[in-house]
Amino acid sequence: MKNKYAIHIKGKGMKTYVFSVVIEPDEDRYYAEVPALPDCHSWGYTYEEALKNIKQAAELCLETMTEDGEPIPEEDSQTLRKAPITLGLVV
């Protein structure tokens, strides 16, 4: 069962970024990803650990993209409205 969530990330320029997060259970762990951010994946032994780890991974992805001068993608608002909860992060 896939769980989709949205995370809020405030960039250094004080812009808030919102991304959907997908968390899926596997045998003895949970895998998490931010589909809009390339190579932004993580995991945890518990659902809560996977959620905490993907928040940290997303922060690092945005920091790296900003430092490299890459544009930060913005997700479609329809996708984000379907997320049952939102989480805030500050980069």
Side-chain angles (χ1 to χ4, degrees), residues 45-60:
Y45 286 112
T46 65
Y47 183 88
E48 292 77 16
E49 184 181 21
L51 188 56
K52 182 183 102 180
N53 291 343
I54 197 64
K55 287 166 53 177
Q56 292 173 345
E59 285 179 338
L60 291 172

Side-chain angles (χ1 to χ4, degrees), residues 14-84:
M14 299 314 277
K15 178 173 176 160
T16 300
Y17 296 97
V18 183
F19 299 102
S20 62
V21 175
V22 178
I23 300 176
E24 296 181 282
D26 197 18
E27 294 176 17
D28 64 342
R29 63 194 73 203
Y30 291 83
Y31 290 97
E33 70 172 314
V34 178
L37 298 175
D39 301 320
C40 188
H41 308 275
S42 192
W43 67 277
Y45 286 112
T46 65
Y47 183 88
E48 292 77 16
E49 184 181 21
L51 188 56
K52 182 183 102 180
N53 291 343
I54 197 64
K55 287 166 53 177
Q56 292 173 345
E59 285 179 338
L60 291 172
C61 285
L62 283 188
E63 278 183 30
T64 301
M65 292 175 81
T66 301
E67 288 171 3
D68 293 345
E70 295 178 32
I72 306 296
E74 295 195 27
E75 285 208 70
D76 177 54
S77 60
Q78 289 268 182
T79 303
L80 297 172
R81 272 185 272 217
K82 294 178 183 178

